[in-house]
Amino acid sequence: MDTGTVANQFTKDPGTAFLEIIRTSPEPVSAREIKKRLIDAGAKKADVDRRWPAFQRVVKLHPQITAANTRYGWSADPRSAQSSLTVLAGNLLAKLPPWLAQPLVRNVASAVDGAESTHRAGNEFEQARMVAALAVAVDVLHTRGDTIAEVSKLFAEETRRKRLWPLGRRGETVAFDPVSHEAEMDTPAPGATVRVARPGYVWRGGGEPVVAAKAIVTV
Protein backbone atom coordinates (compact mmCIF):
# COMPACT_ATOMS: atom_id res chain seq x y z
CA MET A 1 0.00 0.00 0.00
CA ASP A 2 1.53 3.34 -1.08
CA THR A 3 1.86 6.31 1.27
CA GLY A 4 -1.11 8.17 -0.19
CA THR A 5 -3.34 5.15 0.27
CA VAL A 6 -2.16 4.70 3.87
CA ALA A 7 -2.96 8.34 4.67
CA ASN A 8 -6.39 7.96 3.11
CA GLN A 9 -6.95 4.76 5.08
CA PHE A 10 -6.02 6.57 8.30
CA THR A 11 -8.82 9.06 7.69
CA LYS A 12 -11.35 6.23 7.31
CA ASP A 13 -10.02 3.76 9.88
CA PRO A 14 -6.95 4.76 11.95
CA GLY A 15 -6.49 1.28 13.45
CA THR A 16 -6.21 -0.38 10.06
CA ALA A 17 -3.67 2.22 8.92
CA PHE A 18 -1.49 1.70 12.02
CA LEU A 19 -1.75 -2.05 11.46
CA GLU A 20 -0.74 -1.73 7.81
CA ILE A 21 2.45 0.12 8.77
CA ILE A 22 3.40 -2.73 11.11
CA ARG A 23 2.43 -5.44 8.62
CA THR A 24 4.48 -4.03 5.76
CA SER A 25 7.58 -3.17 7.80
CA PRO A 26 10.50 -5.55 7.14
CA GLU A 27 11.39 -5.47 10.85
CA PRO A 28 9.66 -4.51 14.13
CA VAL A 29 8.96 -0.79 14.43
CA SER A 30 8.52 1.56 17.37
CA ALA A 31 5.47 3.71 18.05
CA ARG A 32 7.48 6.78 17.05
CA GLU A 33 8.39 5.22 13.69
CA ILE A 34 4.81 4.13 13.02
CA LYS A 35 3.47 7.59 13.68
CA LYS A 36 6.25 9.26 11.68
CA ARG A 37 5.48 7.16 8.60
CA LEU A 38 1.83 8.15 8.74
CA ILE A 39 2.68 11.81 9.20
CA ASP A 40 5.19 11.62 6.32
CA ALA A 41 2.41 10.05 4.22
CA GLY A 42 0.20 13.08 4.79
CA ALA A 43 -1.76 12.38 7.99
CA LYS A 44 -1.99 15.25 10.46
CA LYS A 45 0.32 14.85 13.47
CA ALA A 46 -2.39 15.95 15.93
CA ASP A 47 -4.77 13.31 14.58
CA VAL A 48 -2.11 10.58 14.66
CA ASP A 49 -1.14 11.41 18.26
CA ARG A 50 -4.79 11.49 19.29
CA ARG A 51 -5.67 8.15 17.70
CA TRP A 52 -2.57 6.19 18.75
CA PRO A 53 -3.38 5.56 22.47
CA ALA A 54 -6.63 3.72 21.70
CA PHE A 55 -4.82 1.52 19.17
CA GLN A 56 -1.89 0.89 21.52
CA ARG A 57 -4.21 -0.36 24.31
CA VAL A 58 -5.43 -3.33 22.28
CA VAL A 59 -2.93 -3.97 19.47
CA LYS A 60 -1.07 -6.65 21.47
CA LEU A 61 -4.26 -8.75 21.38
CA HIS A 62 -4.02 -9.11 17.59
CA PRO A 63 -3.15 -12.76 16.74
CA GLN A 64 -0.35 -11.73 14.36
CA ILE A 65 1.23 -8.87 16.30
CA THR A 66 4.40 -9.34 18.35
CA ALA A 67 5.48 -6.72 20.85
CA ALA A 68 8.92 -6.66 22.46
CA ASN A 69 11.17 -3.88 23.69
CA THR A 70 8.53 -1.27 22.78
CA ARG A 71 8.62 -2.36 19.13
CA TYR A 72 5.79 -3.93 17.14
CA GLY A 73 6.25 -6.67 14.56
CA TRP A 74 4.09 -8.81 12.29
CA SER A 75 4.13 -12.61 12.44
CA ALA A 76 3.09 -14.66 9.40
CA ASP A 77 2.02 -17.42 11.78
CA PRO A 78 -0.86 -16.30 14.05
CA ARG A 79 -1.02 -17.33 17.68
CA SER A 80 -3.14 -20.33 18.63
CA ALA A 81 -6.87 -20.39 18.01
CA GLN A 82 -7.37 -20.94 21.73
CA SER A 83 -5.63 -17.67 22.54
CA SER A 84 -7.92 -15.81 20.13
CA LEU A 85 -10.96 -17.48 21.68
CA THR A 86 -9.74 -16.42 25.12
CA VAL A 87 -9.33 -12.82 23.95
CA LEU A 88 -12.82 -12.76 22.47
CA ALA A 89 -14.39 -14.31 25.55
CA GLY A 90 -12.53 -11.99 27.88
CA ASN A 91 -13.42 -8.84 25.99
CA LEU A 92 -17.12 -9.27 25.23
CA LEU A 93 -17.88 -6.35 27.50
CA ALA A 94 -15.20 -4.21 25.87
CA LYS A 95 -15.73 -2.63 22.48
CA LEU A 96 -13.27 -4.36 20.20
CA PRO A 97 -12.74 -2.45 16.92
CA PRO A 98 -13.51 -4.37 13.70
CA TRP A 99 -9.83 -4.47 12.65
CA LEU A 100 -9.15 -6.55 15.77
CA ALA A 101 -12.39 -8.55 16.12
CA GLN A 102 -12.29 -9.79 12.53
CA PRO A 103 -8.79 -11.37 12.56
CA LEU A 104 -9.46 -12.97 15.94
CA VAL A 105 -12.62 -14.57 14.60
CA ARG A 106 -10.97 -15.59 11.32
CA ASN A 107 -8.10 -17.17 13.25
CA VAL A 108 -10.45 -19.41 15.23
CA ALA A 109 -12.64 -20.17 12.20
CA SER A 110 -9.54 -21.23 10.26
CA ALA A 111 -8.49 -23.55 13.07
CA VAL A 112 -11.95 -25.12 13.08
CA ASP A 113 -11.67 -25.74 9.34
CA GLY A 114 -8.25 -27.31 9.79
CA ALA A 115 -9.52 -29.52 12.59
CA GLU A 116 -12.15 -30.97 10.27
CA SER A 117 -9.51 -32.57 8.07
CA THR A 118 -7.58 -34.13 10.94
CA HIS A 119 -10.11 -35.00 13.62
CA ARG A 120 -12.50 -37.92 13.51
CA ALA A 121 -16.24 -37.47 13.10
CA GLY A 122 -16.77 -38.15 16.81
CA ASN A 123 -15.12 -34.80 17.59
CA GLU A 124 -17.35 -32.81 15.24
CA PHE A 125 -19.59 -31.61 18.05
CA GLU A 126 -16.63 -29.99 19.86
CA GLN A 127 -15.80 -28.07 16.68
CA ALA A 128 -19.41 -26.98 16.32
CA ARG A 129 -19.51 -25.93 19.98
CA MET A 130 -16.53 -23.62 19.44
CA VAL A 131 -18.25 -22.00 16.47
CA ALA A 132 -21.42 -21.60 18.54
CA ALA A 133 -19.52 -19.79 21.28
CA LEU A 134 -17.98 -17.44 18.74
CA ALA A 135 -21.32 -16.85 17.04
CA VAL A 136 -22.70 -15.75 20.40
CA ALA A 137 -19.75 -13.36 20.77
CA VAL A 138 -20.43 -11.87 17.34
CA ASP A 139 -24.10 -11.46 18.22
CA VAL A 140 -23.13 -9.51 21.36
CA LEU A 141 -20.89 -7.19 19.35
CA HIS A 142 -23.57 -6.72 16.70
CA THR A 143 -26.23 -5.91 19.31
CA ARG A 144 -23.93 -3.24 20.71
CA GLY A 145 -23.82 -1.55 17.32
CA ASP A 146 -20.29 -2.43 16.21
CA THR A 147 -19.63 -2.34 12.47
CA ILE A 148 -18.96 -6.02 11.93
CA ALA A 149 -21.18 -6.89 8.98
CA GLU A 150 -18.46 -9.05 7.45
CA VAL A 151 -17.93 -10.95 10.70
CA SER A 152 -21.66 -11.55 11.11
CA LYS A 153 -21.88 -12.87 7.56
CA LEU A 154 -18.87 -15.11 8.11
CA PHE A 155 -20.40 -16.78 11.14
CA ALA A 156 -23.90 -17.02 9.69
CA GLU A 157 -22.35 -19.15 6.97
CA GLU A 158 -20.14 -21.04 9.43
CA THR A 159 -23.01 -21.95 11.77
CA ARG A 160 -25.06 -23.33 8.88
CA ARG A 161 -22.12 -25.34 7.63
CA LYS A 162 -21.60 -26.79 11.12
CA ARG A 163 -25.28 -27.74 11.32
CA LEU A 164 -26.00 -25.25 14.09
CA TRP A 165 -29.48 -23.80 14.44
CA PRO A 166 -30.54 -20.75 16.49
CA LEU A 167 -32.07 -21.50 19.87
CA GLY A 168 -34.71 -18.86 20.55
CA ARG A 169 -35.15 -15.36 19.13
CA ARG A 170 -34.24 -12.13 20.90
CA GLY A 171 -37.32 -10.76 22.67
CA GLU A 172 -39.24 -14.04 22.46
CA THR A 173 -41.18 -15.14 25.58
CA VAL A 174 -40.60 -18.80 26.51
CA ALA A 175 -40.84 -21.22 29.44
CA PHE A 176 -37.51 -21.50 31.28
CA ASP A 177 -35.66 -24.74 30.54
CA PRO A 178 -32.36 -25.23 32.46
CA VAL A 179 -31.05 -27.43 29.64
CA SER A 180 -31.56 -24.79 26.96
CA HIS A 181 -31.47 -21.51 28.89
CA GLU A 182 -29.08 -19.61 31.15
CA ALA A 183 -30.42 -16.76 33.28
CA GLU A 184 -28.62 -13.41 33.29
CA MET A 185 -29.21 -13.01 37.02
CA ASP A 186 -31.29 -15.15 39.41
CA THR A 187 -32.17 -18.55 38.00
CA PRO A 188 -35.97 -18.94 37.71
CA ALA A 189 -37.88 -22.14 38.38
CA PRO A 190 -38.27 -24.55 35.44
CA GLY A 191 -41.32 -23.56 33.41
CA ALA A 192 -41.31 -19.93 34.58
CA THR A 193 -41.95 -17.32 31.89
CA VAL A 194 -38.75 -15.66 30.69
CA ARG A 195 -37.65 -13.50 27.76
CA VAL A 196 -34.77 -14.39 25.43
CA ALA A 197 -32.04 -11.74 25.71
CA ARG A 198 -29.58 -13.53 23.43
CA PRO A 199 -30.18 -16.61 21.25
CA GLY A 200 -28.24 -19.82 21.75
CA TYR A 201 -27.45 -22.63 19.31
CA VAL A 202 -28.50 -26.26 18.86
CA TRP A 203 -26.32 -28.75 17.00
CA ARG A 204 -28.16 -31.17 14.74
CA GLY A 205 -25.35 -33.23 13.34
CA GLY A 206 -25.42 -36.45 15.32
CA GLY A 207 -28.95 -37.77 15.77
CA GLU A 208 -30.71 -36.08 18.68
CA PRO A 209 -30.30 -32.26 18.82
CA VAL A 210 -27.71 -31.13 21.38
CA VAL A 211 -27.51 -27.66 22.97
CA ALA A 212 -24.15 -26.21 21.91
CA ALA A 213 -24.68 -22.76 23.45
CA LYS A 214 -27.51 -21.90 25.83
CA ALA A 215 -29.82 -18.98 25.14
CA ILE A 216 -29.45 -16.17 27.69
CA VAL A 217 -32.78 -15.22 29.25
CA THR A 218 -34.16 -12.62 31.64
CA VAL A 219 -37.17 -12.77 33.94
Side-chain angles (χ1 to χ4, degrees):
M1 187 179 293
D2 59 47
T3 55
T5 303
V6 171
N8 186 54
Q9 180 63 58
F10 178 80
T11 301
K12 298 177 181 178
D13 185 350
T16 300
F18 285 131
L19 203 64
E20 185 65 12
I21 296 295
I22 298 172
R23 188 187 70 81
T24 57
S25 295
E27 58 186 21
V29 289
S30 67
R32 177 177 295 181
E33 292 170 327
I34 294 169
K35 291 192 285 186
K36 182 178 184 300
R37 291 185 191 182
L38 277 169
I39 294 168
D40 289 346
K44 293 181 179 179
K45 182 179 186 304
D47 290 339
V48 173
D49 289 339
R50 179 169 57 88
R51 296 289 190 174
W52 173 258
F55 176 82
Q56 188 179 39
R57 281 195 296 271
V58 293
V59 63
K60 293 179 182 180
L61 300 178
H62 193 290
Q64 288 176 270
I65 290 293
T66 61
N69 299 322
T70 69
R71 301 180 75 83
Y72 302 91
W74 182 270
S75 172
D77 298 318
R79 289 192 290 271
S80 71
Q82 182 59 49
S83 69
S84 289
L85 182 59
T86 299
V87 169
L88 281 171
N91 287 275
L92 287 181
L93 298 180
K95 193 167 185 178
L96 292 179
W99 61 262
L100 177 57
Q102 290 175 13
L104 286 169
V105 171
R106 284 197 299 267
N107 189 31
V108 178
S110 176
V112 172
D113 287 338
E116 280 192 333
S117 63
T118 57
H119 290 182
R120 308 182 72 172
N123 199 37
E124 188 177 1
F125 171 66
E126 291 302 316
Q127 300 167 26
R129 190 160 64 90
M130 179 182 290
V131 174
L134 287 169
V136 169
V138 170
D139 187 74
V140 171
L141 294 170
H142 180 71
T143 300
R144 230 181 16 227
D146 288 24
T147 306
I148 54 169
E150 293 182 0
V151 180
S152 295
K153 180 180 178 181
L154 168 69
F155 273 88
E157 296 170 353
E158 192 71 12
T159 54
R160 286 192 295 269
R161 194 164 66 84
K162 296 298 185 185
R163 290 176 283 183
L164 287 162
W165 298 80
L167 176 60
R169 298 187 304 274
R170 188 178 292 105
E172 178 182 23
T173 299
V174 297
F176 181 72
D177 175 9
V179 175
S180 304
H181 304 143
E182 181 176 337
E184 277 192 331
M185 298 181 68
D186 297 334
T187 302
T193 300
V194 293
R195 186 179 299 276
V196 176
R198 190 174 73 224
Y201 283 89
V202 172
W203 184 67
R204 295 179 178 174
E208 289 294 320
V210 180
V211 176
K214 292 184 178 183
I216 302 300
V217 299
T218 59
V219 178

